[in-house]
Amino acid sequence: MIYVSFVGMFRSDLYEGLCVGHAPKKCRTCGRWFLTINARPTKYCGGYALGDKRHRSCRQVGNLKGRKERELAEDNPNVELYKKRLDSINHRLRRKNADKPLGKMMKKLAKDKMQRSKNSVDYADGNYIQEMELDALEAEAKALL
Protein backbone atom coordinates (compact mmCIF):
# COMPACT_ATOMS: atom_id res chain seq x y z
CA MET A 1 0.00 0.00 0.00
CA ILE A 2 1.08 3.53 -0.64
CA TYR A 3 0.07 6.13 1.93
CA VAL A 4 -0.36 9.82 1.28
CA SER A 5 0.40 10.80 4.87
CA PHE A 6 1.87 9.38 8.05
CA VAL A 7 -1.51 9.73 9.78
CA GLY A 8 -3.16 7.59 7.10
CA MET A 9 -0.54 4.90 7.56
CA PHE A 10 -0.94 5.06 11.34
CA ARG A 11 -4.74 4.84 11.08
CA SER A 12 -4.54 1.84 8.74
CA ASP A 13 -2.11 0.06 11.06
CA LEU A 14 -4.35 0.77 14.06
CA TYR A 15 -7.41 -0.75 12.34
CA GLU A 16 -5.44 -3.81 11.25
CA GLY A 17 -4.34 -4.29 14.85
CA LEU A 18 -7.92 -3.98 16.11
CA CYS A 19 -8.97 -6.72 13.71
CA VAL A 20 -6.51 -9.20 15.21
CA GLY A 21 -7.24 -8.39 18.85
CA HIS A 22 -4.89 -5.52 19.70
CA ALA A 23 -6.87 -2.86 21.51
CA PRO A 24 -5.86 0.38 23.23
CA LYS A 25 -6.37 0.26 27.01
CA LYS A 26 -5.69 2.64 29.86
CA CYS A 27 -3.55 1.29 32.70
CA ARG A 28 -5.44 1.28 36.02
CA THR A 29 -2.28 2.05 37.99
CA CYS A 30 -0.43 4.77 36.10
CA GLY A 31 -3.10 6.02 33.68
CA ARG A 32 -0.94 5.62 30.55
CA TRP A 33 -2.39 4.15 27.36
CA PHE A 34 -1.00 0.89 25.95
CA LEU A 35 -1.87 -1.67 23.28
CA THR A 36 -2.89 -5.15 24.37
CA ILE A 37 -0.94 -7.94 22.72
CA ASN A 38 -3.81 -10.41 22.56
CA ALA A 39 -7.55 -10.33 23.15
CA ARG A 40 -7.22 -11.12 26.88
CA PRO A 41 -8.67 -8.54 29.31
CA THR A 42 -5.44 -6.82 30.44
CA LYS A 43 -5.73 -4.21 33.20
CA TYR A 44 -2.14 -3.00 33.57
CA CYS A 45 0.65 -1.96 31.24
CA GLY A 46 4.11 -3.52 31.35
CA GLY A 47 5.89 -0.33 32.41
CA TYR A 48 7.02 0.85 35.80
CA ALA A 49 4.50 2.43 38.17
CA LEU A 50 4.84 6.16 38.53
CA GLY A 51 5.91 7.27 42.00
CA ASP A 52 6.68 3.78 43.28
CA LYS A 53 9.85 3.91 45.41
CA ARG A 54 10.65 0.23 44.86
CA HIS A 55 10.50 0.56 41.05
CA ARG A 56 7.82 -2.13 40.66
CA SER A 57 5.82 -2.65 37.49
CA CYS A 58 2.20 -1.52 37.21
CA ARG A 59 1.13 -5.17 37.20
CA GLN A 60 2.91 -5.81 40.52
CA VAL A 61 1.43 -2.69 42.12
CA GLY A 62 -2.03 -3.60 40.82
CA ASN A 63 -1.78 -7.07 42.31
CA LEU A 64 -0.76 -5.62 45.67
CA LYS A 65 -3.82 -3.40 45.93
CA GLY A 66 -6.05 -4.25 48.81
CA ARG A 67 -9.18 -6.34 48.70
CA LYS A 68 -11.32 -3.22 49.05
CA GLU A 69 -10.04 -1.89 45.73
CA ARG A 70 -10.92 -5.17 44.03
CA GLU A 71 -14.34 -5.36 45.69
CA LEU A 72 -15.28 -1.92 44.34
CA ALA A 73 -14.43 -2.93 40.77
CA GLU A 74 -17.17 -3.04 38.16
CA ASP A 75 -16.64 -6.71 37.37
CA ASN A 76 -17.34 -7.81 40.95
CA PRO A 77 -19.68 -10.86 40.96
CA ASN A 78 -21.79 -9.29 43.70
CA VAL A 79 -22.48 -6.28 41.47
CA GLU A 80 -23.29 -8.65 38.60
CA LEU A 81 -25.88 -10.41 40.80
CA TYR A 82 -27.36 -7.03 41.77
CA LYS A 83 -27.73 -6.03 38.11
CA LYS A 84 -29.35 -9.38 37.35
CA ARG A 85 -31.86 -8.85 40.19
CA LEU A 86 -32.68 -5.34 38.94
CA ASP A 87 -33.38 -6.76 35.50
CA SER A 88 -35.66 -9.42 37.02
CA ILE A 89 -37.56 -6.85 39.09
CA ASN A 90 -37.98 -4.54 36.09
CA HIS A 91 -39.20 -7.50 34.03
CA ARG A 92 -41.82 -8.31 36.68
CA LEU A 93 -42.95 -4.69 36.74
CA ARG A 94 -43.29 -4.61 32.95
CA ARG A 95 -45.35 -7.80 32.97
CA LYS A 96 -47.46 -6.31 35.79
CA ASN A 97 -46.69 -9.28 38.08
CA ALA A 98 -45.75 -6.84 40.85
CA ASP A 99 -47.09 -3.42 41.79
CA LYS A 100 -44.86 -0.33 41.69
CA PRO A 101 -44.43 0.23 45.46
CA LEU A 102 -43.38 -3.40 45.91
CA GLY A 103 -40.92 -3.14 43.00
CA LYS A 104 -39.49 0.08 44.36
CA MET A 105 -38.99 -1.49 47.79
CA MET A 106 -37.36 -4.58 46.24
CA LYS A 107 -34.93 -2.38 44.28
CA LYS A 108 -34.04 -0.44 47.42
CA LEU A 109 -33.45 -3.65 49.39
CA ALA A 110 -31.30 -5.10 46.60
CA LYS A 111 -29.17 -1.95 46.44
CA ASP A 112 -28.73 -1.91 50.23
CA LYS A 113 -27.66 -5.56 50.20
CA MET A 114 -25.20 -4.96 47.37
CA GLN A 115 -23.62 -2.01 49.26
CA ARG A 116 -23.43 -4.14 52.38
CA SER A 117 -21.71 -6.94 50.45
CA LYS A 118 -19.09 -4.47 49.23
CA ASN A 119 -18.34 -3.38 52.79
CA SER A 120 -18.52 -6.75 54.56
CA VAL A 121 -16.63 -9.73 53.20
CA ASP A 122 -18.32 -12.09 55.69
CA TYR A 123 -21.77 -11.04 54.47
CA ALA A 124 -20.73 -11.34 50.82
CA ASP A 125 -19.42 -14.86 51.37
CA GLY A 126 -22.33 -15.89 53.59
CA ASN A 127 -25.96 -14.82 53.26
CA TYR A 128 -25.74 -12.38 50.33
CA ILE A 129 -26.63 -14.86 47.59
CA GLN A 130 -29.58 -16.33 49.51
CA GLU A 131 -30.94 -12.89 50.41
CA MET A 132 -30.68 -11.71 46.81
CA GLU A 133 -32.97 -14.46 45.54
CA LEU A 134 -36.04 -12.92 43.92
CA ASP A 135 -38.50 -14.68 46.22
CA ALA A 136 -36.54 -13.69 49.34
CA LEU A 137 -36.44 -10.04 48.23
CA GLU A 138 -40.16 -10.09 47.52
CA ALA A 139 -41.00 -11.61 50.91
CA GLU A 140 -38.83 -9.07 52.74
CA ALA A 141 -40.31 -6.17 50.76
CA LYS A 142 -43.89 -7.35 51.51
CA ALA A 143 -43.02 -7.59 55.21
CA LEU A 144 -41.70 -4.01 55.18
CA LEU A 145 -44.73 -2.68 53.29
Side-chain angles (χ1 to χ4, degrees), residues 2 23 37 41 66 75 82 87:
I2 298 174
I37 297 172
D75 56 351
Y82 167 71
D87 289 343

Side-chain angles (χ1 to χ4, degrees), residues 57-112:
S57 69
C58 289
R59 186 168 287 118
Q60 289 171 326
V61 172
N63 287 334
L64 292 174
K65 283 185 179 175
R67 181 176 176 87
K68 185 172 183 175
E69 291 275 332
R70 290 191 297 269
E71 293 300 323
L72 296 177
E74 288 296 319
D75 56 351
N76 184 356
N78 296 339
V79 176
E80 299 277 334
L81 180 60
Y82 167 71
K83 289 179 182 176
K84 185 178 175 183
R85 282 302 154 250
L86 279 186
D87 289 343
S88 301
I89 293 167
N90 287 332
H91 189 69
R92 277 191 174 190
L93 289 173
R94 272 184 265 133
R95 289 187 305 174
K96 308 241 189 276
N97 289 353
D99 54 344
K100 289 191 180 192
L102 180 67
K104 189 175 180 180
M105 181 60 75
M106 288 172 67
K107 288 180 184 180
K108 182 181 180 308
L109 286 172
K111 186 172 185 177
D112 292 343

Side-chain angles (χ1 to χ4, degrees), residues 90-145:
N90 287 332
H91 189 69
R92 277 191 174 190
L93 289 173
R94 272 184 265 133
R95 289 187 305 174
K96 308 241 189 276
N97 289 353
D99 54 344
K100 289 191 180 192
L102 180 67
K104 189 175 180 180
M105 181 60 75
M106 288 172 67
K107 288 180 184 180
K108 182 181 180 308
L109 286 172
K111 186 172 185 177
D112 292 343
K113 291 178 188 306
M114 186 260 306
Q115 293 294 338
R116 187 172 162 204
S117 75
K118 281 184 174 181
N119 295 331
S120 171
V121 177
D122 294 331
Y123 176 69
D125 292 339
N127 296 334
Y128 177 69
I129 295 174
Q130 289 85 18
E131 290 183 11
M132 284 295 280
E133 290 292 327
L134 202 54
D135 297 331
L137 277 173
E138 185 176 3
E140 191 176 348
K142 283 182 179 177
L144 288 174
L145 287 177

